[in-house]
Amino acid sequence: MITLSSIRSNHKLKRKEIKSRLKEFEKIGKNAGNEKLFEEMALCIFTAGASAKMGINAVNSIKDILAHGSLAELKKRLRGVYRFPNARAGYIIHTRNYLTREFDMNLRKLLLSFNNPIERRSFIAKNKDIKGLGFKESSHFLRNIGFKGYGILDKHIVNCMYELNLIKTNKPPTNEKSYLELEDRLKEFSQKNNLDFDELDLLLWSEKTGVILK
């Protein structure tokens, strides 16, 4: 059971590792090329409906052909590695073609064109041509490339919020309105208790999973 007391004590224990992970994300955001940014997007496409570890294994299996591999090549690499090899390979190809056609795969320019962080995430989450990224995984993607202030409200974070009596049900949000409401509640909690929001998100996730991953 998560409590404010356990959050404070574990934050002290894990803060150095959490800050190091957030610095890795910032470094990617500042220095990575567009191929690397698309790799991070692919990771989140794979993580949706699966686990973070499975998403990492999946993207590692196709990393060298992600920018140019055919649908058949991606499917072949993913079989035995990922639970949805055919569907998600299709997502990757569709999204890659769309971003190349419409934005010349210049993800950095596209993402920086938004002044409003909510609009930036909504563009990704609600875009039918960016396959497999709802609000949770769009937040995950943006956090992983250095953007601040996005909550990755998966089942682990939602369960923590429920245990902290911040919400009345542990069911994950199902639309933009409910996602923003839960995210705002977590932000209010972090501000009230003088906890960095991005650090808190990683801390709560690690409390339920035992690891501090992407």
Side-chain angles (χ1 to χ4, degrees):
M1 179 71 71
I2 298 293
T3 64
L4 178 57
S5 177
S6 69
I7 287 173
R8 291 198 184 283
S9 60
N10 289 324
H11 187 228
K12 289 180 181 179
L13 293 172
K14 298 179 180 180
R15 192 173 187 183
K16 185 176 180 180
E17 185 179 357
I18 288 171
K19 280 184 170 293
S20 177
R21 183 67 72 187
L22 288 171
K23 284 188 180 297
E24 288 179 23
F25 300 151
E26 288 180 27
K27 186 176 180 180
I28 291 172
K30 290 178 181 177
N31 303 322
N34 286 301
E35 282 194 14
K36 175 62 177 175
L37 297 181
F38 183 61
E39 179 186 313
E40 295 295 333
M41 180 178 280
L43 167 66
C44 294
I45 290 172
F46 287 128
T47 299
S51 67
K53 288 184 178 179
M54 184 177 286
I56 290 169
N57 290 338
V59 82
N60 284 340
S61 73
I62 64 165
K63 187 181 295 187
D64 61 320
I65 61 169
L66 181 60
H68 55 78
S70 68
L71 179 61
E73 288 171 327
L74 265 59
K75 286 181 180 179
K76 183 178 180 180
R77 292 279 190 94
L78 290 168
R79 289 190 187 107
V81 176
Y82 186 73
R83 63 188 296 190
F84 312 115
N86 296 338
R88 296 301 165 87
Y91 285 7
I92 295 295
I93 294 294
H94 184 102
T95 302
R96 188 182 70 191
N97 289 345
Y98 164 72
L99 292 172
T100 300
R101 181 179 68 250
E102 298 297 327
F103 305 102
D104 197 28
M105 192 51 86
N106 196 333
L107 273 169
R108 182 180 301 283
K109 181 179 179 181
L110 170 62
L111 296 173
L112 291 176
S113 70
F114 295 93
N115 294 319
N116 185 309
I118 299 299
E119 290 179 1
R120 179 185 295 117
R121 178 174 58 191
S122 293
F123 174 82
I124 300 170
K126 297 165 77 171
N127 193 322
K128 294 181 180 179
D129 286 310
I130 298 179
K131 297 290 187 180
L133 296 182
F135 282 90
K136 174 175 70 72
E137 287 305 325
S138 294
S139 303
H140 188 187
F141 165 60
L142 291 168
R143 193 279 309 276
N144 282 5
I145 60 171
F147 287 97
K148 302 282 190 179
Y150 294 107
I152 299 92
L153 305 182
D154 68 354
K155 62 181 181 181
H156 302 299
I157 303 297
V158 172
N159 279 330
C160 287
M161 294 179 68
Y162 178 71
E163 291 173 15
L164 290 164
N165 293 316
L166 300 179
I167 51 178
K168 295 181 179 180
T169 175
N170 63 352
K171 292 182 179 179
T174 56
N175 55 47
E176 182 175 16
K177 182 176 182 293
S178 61
Y179 198 98
L180 292 175
E181 287 175 352
L182 264 64
E183 188 176 57
D184 284 344
R185 290 190 188 185
L186 190 58
K187 285 182 177 179
E188 288 171 5
F189 175 82
S190 69
Q191 292 168 358
K192 180 180 178 180
N193 294 287
N194 198 29
L195 295 162
D196 180 87
F197 180 69
D198 297 287
E199 291 180 20
L200 177 63
D201 194 90
L202 272 177
L203 175 66
L204 293 179
W205 197 82
S206 74
E207 291 295 279
K208 292 298 186 182
T209 63
V211 291
I212 301 171
L213 287 176
K214 285 188 155 189

